[in-house]
Amino acid sequence: MAVRRRPSIPNQTAAPPNPDPGGDPQPPNAAPSLDQFSLAPPKLGLILSVLALFLIPFFYLLFVHYQVESDLRYYISICVALSLVGFVFTVGLIPVATRYLLRRNMFGYDINKRGTPQGEVKVPETLGIVTAIVFLVVAIVLQLCTLTADSDWLVEYNAALACICFMTLLGFVDDVLDVPWRVKLALPFFASLPLMMAYAGHTSIIIPKPLVPYVGLSVLDLGVIYKVYMILLVIFCTNSINIHAGLNGLEVGQTVVISFAVLIHNLMQIGASTDIDYKQAHAFSIYIMWPLLTTSLGLLAFNWYPSSVFVGDTYTYFAGMSLAVVGILGHFSETLLLFFLPQILNFLYSCPQLFGFVHCPRHRLPRFDTQTGLLTGTNDMNLVNLFLRLFGRCTEKSLCIRLLIFQALSCLMCFGLRYILAGWYK
Amino acid sequence: MVVRRRQSIPDQTVRSSELTPEKEEELSLAAPKLGLVLSILAMFLVPFFYFLFVRYRMEIEIHLRLSILVCVAISLCGFVASALLIPVAARYLLRRNLFGHDLNKRGTPQGATKVPEALGIVTGIVFLVVAVSVQLAVSFLQYNLTADSDWLVEYNAALACICFMILLGFVDDVLDVPWSVKLVLPLFAALPLVMAYAGHTSIIIPKHLVPFVGQSVLDLGWIYKVYMIMLVVFCTNSINIHAGINGLEVGQTVVISVAILIFNLIQMGASTDPDYKKAHVFSIYIMLPLLTASLGLLAFNWYPSSIFVGDTYTYFAGMAMAVVGILGHFSETLLFFFLPQVLNFLYSCPQLFGIVPCPRHRLPRFDPQTGLLIGTSDMNLVNLFLRLFGQCTEKSLCIRLLIFQACISFTLLICLKIWLMSAKMHPT
């Protein structure tokens, strides 16, 4: 749930910012604030260090550790190069888009800073649209560069583009029009339909070895049930990022961590395999994850604490869909779910409130103390508050860092788990 | 150019949102003009089914005919969904201050009404859901789109392009992006199409030019791909500038898509090549949802408009038609159906390129006394018709322009039929 609701309720909009009811022709009141409005500079130092932190191990694995075919190395390098161009464009376009969004009253107030001067600032909302559009352009150009007109992967690529684009559209419509939450839940279902058509893979699962005597089979063909699982995975990925939110930089941060984990996983699978199709599946995932990673980093430059922009449901839906798409079409959805472990825990822990058994407030945010500048955990049942209750009060920035470290550690643990369990259950 | 600018200047926004609490319950859209729209639908379905089930009974295989029937059924559901969702969406759009005032009624009480804008988003989303459902239904029933069929590439590329265009159109309607962005982004939206186009890039030189050119078939290669991108940019923008009258944007799309559908059936009937037929079936799978979703929109947008369609709709419709023209391999025929838009564009060039001064809106002048529109000296078809045929009401002007559109399309179709019949009688 995007927690920074723009004041779209009419009476709230009417109260400030125009104190005198206006009869005298004062100049259009956004003009002064638009001139006054200047986005804080992006936190490029932080972002570029994170980017370097990603690029070094990635290129090490690609060029040194694994013997990857030279044409695959070439295409992946092109992918990285184009994605970096996308990063530059994202950073360049966000300030531009901000002006247009503010002009259309698409902004919110930072509830976690209420009571301080920063809590009065109008923070532009829905900047996820910039990330998504740059992503789509980069992904489309990548398609031209890495695939030929008769490649088998053209179907998957176009289906992925269609799904991600449709999800972005629905997310943006939601941010603009504020659709009811029941509709919000159903939207990912429609957006995932092109995926159903394009998934031309096996719908069977491998039964873990210990369970084979009970099931009676070692491979079970789920058929249509697998397609239902795919739809559920899409709905889960999109909404789980949406509810594990509420702190500056949390939504984008978790996406960055997960997509980097996916990229490393893809490289490791390419390096460890000799099957062409299998390698192609993971290369396909790389071609989608790199633009997601770099455009998200561009967004994070402005969204990291203290946020000068908010990302909107557009971003969380777009990111969730992209991750689900690569998991499904790259045939590694189980691994993807392992990377989503914090989101799963957050969802499970939130269930009582989500289903109404426990009272669910509008925003399940921590309480902000203006005196100390620290956040205090409430009784709300989500990871954000749980961390505050377990590890004590802290600033918003440290809480976000703690949660992202938890995300990174659980991804690392999943790599370990896969390695250990590989012989045991498959 | 969308002519009904919403009031996005902030002080007006503050005032209108102060007013909104009382007025919010007042929004009740005028009842949809269902009688008109359903008659149009019937008028289309009768010849369509005649061609499909009677005239070309032998020539079109049963599985293709059944899959087209499935497509019609799902598209009609789309029509109902469109008509039902528009009033719902209108409330949300109005609440977010996405509205305009009807400039062609300025001076009358109707000119002061806030008309919800950007309803093309409903049409676009319904279209996408219907198009994907058709794809799923047809493959589930195993008619001709299987999971490893060649047409899946084209279908997904079409969906991706059209979806991207809807997204760009809606972002434009909400944020009012500068025109340079409006021109550049469709280029990128057209690229998946270029990748998916796995056809010949050669053109057939007309016989009497062969001695000059030296060849009867000329392979254009990448120039053909550039032509495809130009076609996309043209189709999307040309509908956008042939606008400004209640019901004109949707009306022209309805006329052209009906013409394309009839053309598809005629070509399927006249051919024996299965790939050729598949190309036209593909076009039908896209045009039918476009037609029915647009008719749902027209029910509210026909004169007098209770809603405006926004750039979302014109971009979406233009892209959908360009996509079928390119992937169905009949882009030259498509340009023929677009002849009024071509003429309007050519006639508008001096103003578009700044050689002649170009006002913000190139609309006719409305006389509140008589209720008639008077042509200005602006260089577009709308004003030309008023200057040539005299003042008239907005509704009759729109009907005249649509009749002009229909005449061009059906003249072409009749010529095509005659040519086909004579080819049969005198096989070469």
Side-chain angles (χ1 to χ4, degrees):
Chain A
M1 291 151 214
V3 289
R4 292 134 192 146
R5 251 321 124 212
R6 60 181 160 281
S8 58
I9 315 168
N11 47 359
Q12 277 186 354
T13 318
N18 193 9
D20 59 328
D24 29 305
Q26 57 178 311
N29 60 343
S33 56
L34 269 185
D35 288 336
Q36 288 164 19
F37 181 80
S38 51
L39 220 47
K43 292 116 196 146
L44 281 177
L46 169 72
I47 297 302
L48 290 174
S49 349
V50 170
L51 194 55
L53 218 64
F54 287 160
L55 284 173
I56 294 172
F58 186 82
F59 279 130
Y60 168 74
L61 286 175
L62 181 63
F63 285 106
V64 178
H65 189 125
Y66 289 119
Q67 292 306 312
V68 180
E69 290 86 346
S70 57
D71 56 344
L72 204 52
R73 276 183 181 156
Y74 172 67
Y75 288 137
I76 293 177
S77 309
I78 292 186
C79 170
V80 175
L82 279 172
S83 304
L84 290 174
V85 172
F87 169 76
V88 173
F89 268 94
T90 309
V91 173
L93 286 174
I94 284 178
V96 177
T98 304
R99 281 200 304 276
Y100 286 89
L101 286 162
L102 270 182
R103 194 173 67 177
R104 289 295 297 155
N105 284 340
M106 295 194 64
F107 62 86
Y109 295 108
D110 198 336
I111 301 181
N112 281 334
K113 299 177 181 54
R114 202 157 37 184
T116 70
Q118 267 197 304
E120 308 294 313
V121 172
K122 288 197 223 176
V123 184
E125 177 84 73
T126 318
L127 269 299
I129 189 64
V130 176
T131 310
I133 290 183
V134 174
F135 168 89
L136 286 168
V137 173
V138 170
I140 289 174
V141 174
L142 258 179
Q143 181 190 31
L144 285 178
C145 297
T146 56
L147 297 178
T148 53
D150 54 2
S151 164
D152 310 316
W153 280 91
L154 218 50
V155 176
E156 277 83 354
Y157 216 105
N158 281 314
L161 281 179
C163 289
I164 296 173
C165 191
F166 199 5
M167 197 72 238
T168 305
L169 176 67
L170 295 175
F172 189 63
V173 169
D174 176 33
D175 273 334
V176 173
L177 300 184
D178 225 343
V179 303
W181 70 268
R182 284 191 188 83
V183 178
K184 267 217 264 256
L185 282 183
L187 297 177
F189 164 74
F190 291 107
S192 68
L193 291 177
L195 215 55
M196 300 304 112
M197 265 315 288
Y199 184 74
H202 58 91
T203 50
S204 32
I205 56 169
I206 299 171
I207 308 288
K209 285 203 193 100
L211 293 179
V212 170
Y214 300 98
V215 178
L217 295 166
S218 60
V219 171
L220 179 64
D221 187 7
L222 291 174
V224 107
I225 302 180
Y226 198 81
K227 301 232 166 177
V228 172
Y229 158 70
M230 278 161 45
I231 295 179
L232 290 176
L233 183 69
V234 168
I235 296 180
F236 173 74
C237 288
T238 48
N239 287 295
S240 66
I241 296 184
N242 215 2
I243 63 173
H244 187 43
L247 302 175
N248 286 177
L250 183 56
E251 304 93 337
V252 191
Q254 68 191 276
T255 305
V256 162
V257 172
I258 298 177
S259 50
F260 182 62
V262 169
L263 281 169
I264 297 295
H265 171 68
N266 291 144
L267 258 192
M268 285 171 63
Q269 295 303 105
I270 289 181
S273 157
T274 49
D275 180 354
I276 298 277
D277 279 329
Y278 193 71
K279 290 192 190 201
Q280 274 293 88
H282 285 278
F284 167 80
S285 167
I286 290 181
Y287 299 153
I288 306 244
M289 285 291 100
W290 259 110
L292 176 68
L293 178 62
T294 55
T295 52
S296 300
L297 283 173
L299 186 57
L300 194 62
F302 293 91
N303 184 246
W304 184 248
Y305 183 93
S307 294
S308 16
V309 304
F310 290 151
V311 302
D313 285 348
T314 309
Y315 179 78
T316 57
Y317 276 163
F318 152 71
M321 176 58 96
S322 307
L323 290 165
V325 158
V326 297
I328 289 170
L329 293 179
H331 305 297
F332 58 90
S333 57
E334 305 86 8
T335 313
L336 186 74
L337 277 175
L338 285 180
F339 293 144
F340 266 70
L341 199 59
Q343 281 74 16
I344 295 177
L345 292 174
N346 185 54
F347 168 68
L348 291 175
Y349 187 37
S350 302
C351 275
Q353 282 191 306
L354 293 179
F355 292 109
F357 300 130
V358 175
H359 163 70
C360 185
R362 175 76 184 85
H363 296 306
R364 303 186 297 148
L365 285 178
R367 208 171 52 244
F368 177 66
D369 184 354
T370 39
Q371 252 65 35
T372 54
L374 300 178
L375 291 174
T376 316
T378 61
N379 289 327
D380 285 310
M381 302 167 81
N382 56 11
L383 279 191
V384 169
N385 285 298
L386 184 67
F387 265 54
L388 283 170
R389 296 199 300 268
L390 282 181
F391 303 119
R393 313 174 345 158
C394 61
T395 64
E396 188 176 355
K397 185 173 180 179
S398 7
L399 179 58
C400 190
I401 292 177
R402 287 178 192 179
L403 285 164
L404 291 181
I405 288 178
F406 177 57
Q407 185 89 49
L409 285 178
S410 73
C411 288
L412 272 175
M413 184 187 76
C414 296
F415 277 114
L417 259 180
R418 267 193 114 259
Y419 181 72
I420 296 169
L421 292 178
W424 176 69
Y425 77 96
K426 280 210 177 182
Chain B
M1 288 153 217
V2 176
V3 288
R4 292 138 191 138
R5 253 322 125 212
R6 58 182 163 280
Q7 318 247 304
S8 56
I9 314 170
D11 52 348
Q12 286 181 334
T13 314
V14 171
R15 272 190 236 120
S16 52
S17 55
E18 280 172 301
L19 289 173
T20 317
E22 309 97 71
K23 288 217 172 146
E24 204 167 344
E25 298 78 33
E26 282 180 33
L27 171 75
S28 50
L29 288 185
K33 293 115 195 145
L34 281 177
L36 169 73
V37 167
L38 288 173
S39 353
I40 298 176
L41 194 56
M43 269 194 336
F44 158 71
L45 283 176
V46 166
F48 186 79
F49 281 139
Y50 165 72
F51 278 118
L52 185 62
F53 287 112
V54 179
R55 176 70 186 76
Y56 292 121
R57 200 173 59 249
M58 294 292 115
E59 291 88 340
I60 302 180
E61 291 85 342
I62 182 108
H63 68 94
L64 285 178
R65 284 190 277 142
L66 284 176
S67 59
I68 293 175
L69 194 59
V70 167
C71 183
V72 171
I74 303 181
S75 304
L76 288 175
C77 295
F79 167 74
V80 172
S82 202
L84 288 176
L85 287 173
I86 285 175
V88 176
R91 276 202 307 278
Y92 284 89
L93 287 160
L94 207 59
R95 196 175 65 180
R96 287 293 295 152
N97 285 336
L98 275 158
F99 63 84
H101 293 289
D102 199 336
L103 293 175
N104 280 334
K105 296 176 182 57
R106 205 161 33 181
T108 69
Q110 266 196 307
T113 333
K114 290 194 223 174
V115 184
E117 176 86 72
L119 267 299
I121 189 65
V122 175
T123 313
I125 292 179
V126 168
F127 168 87
L128 287 171
V129 175
V130 169
V132 177
S133 310
V134 166
Q135 191 188 13
L136 283 170
V138 162
S139 78
F140 177 70
L141 297 170
Q142 284 162 359
Y143 285 139
N144 61 342
L145 274 183
T146 54
D148 48 20
S149 152
D150 338 293
W151 281 93
L152 214 51
V153 178
E154 276 84 350
Y155 213 101
N156 282 312
L159 279 181
C161 295
I162 295 173
C163 190
F164 198 12
M165 212 63 220
I166 299 175
L167 176 67
L168 294 178
F170 191 61
V171 169
D172 177 33
D173 274 334
V174 172
L175 300 184
D176 223 345
V177 304
W179 70 269
S180 48
V181 176
K182 278 214 267 240
L183 280 185
V184 165
L185 283 178
L187 290 179
F188 290 102
L191 289 179
L193 213 57
V194 168
M195 266 309 279
Y197 182 75
H200 58 90
T201 52
S202 34
I203 55 170
I204 299 170
I205 308 286
K207 286 207 190 82
H208 51 279
L209 290 178
V210 170
F212 300 97
V213 178
Q215 289 169 295
S216 59
V217 171
L218 181 64
D219 187 8
L220 292 173
W222 63 268
I223 301 181
Y224 198 80
K225 305 229 162 178
V226 172
Y227 157 71
M228 278 163 38
I229 298 181
M230 294 289 106
L231 185 69
V232 167
V233 176
F234 172 74
C235 288
T236 49
N237 286 294
S238 66
I239 297 183
N240 214 0
I241 64 174
H242 186 42
I245 309 287
N246 285 175
L248 182 57
E249 303 93 339
V250 192
Q252 66 192 278
T253 305
V254 165
V255 171
I256 301 178
S257 48
V258 165
I260 292 177
L261 283 163
I262 303 290
F263 169 73
N264 289 142
L265 276 184
I266 294 178
Q267 292 299 93
M268 281 174 71
S271 159
T272 49
D273 178 358
D275 276 331
Y276 191 75
K277 290 190 187 186
K278 269 196 189 165
H280 285 278
V281 165
F282 167 80
S283 166
I284 292 179
Y285 289 157
I286 304 238
M287 286 291 101
L288 269 173
L290 175 67
L291 175 64
T292 54
S294 302
L295 282 173
L297 188 60
L298 191 64
F300 293 90
N301 185 246
W302 184 247
Y303 183 93
S305 294
S306 14
I307 52 140
F308 292 149
V309 301
D311 284 350
T312 312
Y313 180 77
T314 58
Y315 279 167
F316 150 63
M319 174 59 101
M321 292 190 282
V323 159
V324 298
I326 288 170
L327 295 179
H329 304 296
F330 57 89
S331 59
E332 303 82 22
T333 316
L334 183 75
L335 278 174
F336 250 88
F337 290 141
F338 265 71
L339 201 57
Q341 283 74 15
V342 172
L343 293 173
N344 184 53
F345 168 69
L346 292 175
Y347 187 36
S348 301
C349 275
Q351 284 191 304
L352 294 178
F353 292 109
I355 303 170
V356 173
C358 184
R360 176 75 185 85
H361 298 306
R362 301 187 297 148
L363 284 177
R365 205 170 59 243
F366 177 66
D367 184 357
Q369 253 70 38
T370 54
L372 299 179
L373 291 175
I374 307 168
T376 61
S377 53
D378 282 310
M379 302 167 83
N380 55 10
L381 279 191
V382 168
N383 284 298
L384 184 67
F385 265 53
L386 283 170
R387 297 199 302 267
L388 281 182
F389 304 119
Q391 332 174 338
C392 62
T393 63
E394 189 175 354
K395 184 173 180 179
S396 1
L397 179 60
C398 188
I399 292 177
R400 288 179 191 178
L401 286 163
L402 292 179
I403 288 178
F404 176 55
Q405 185 92 48
C407 285
I408 302 262
S409 309
F410 290 104
T411 306
L412 175 69
L413 285 173
I414 294 171
C415 291
L416 176 68
K417 272 300 278 175
I418 295 174
W419 179 78
L420 281 175
M421 286 190 328
S422 69
K424 267 197 190 149
M425 291 195 300
H426 310 281
T428 44

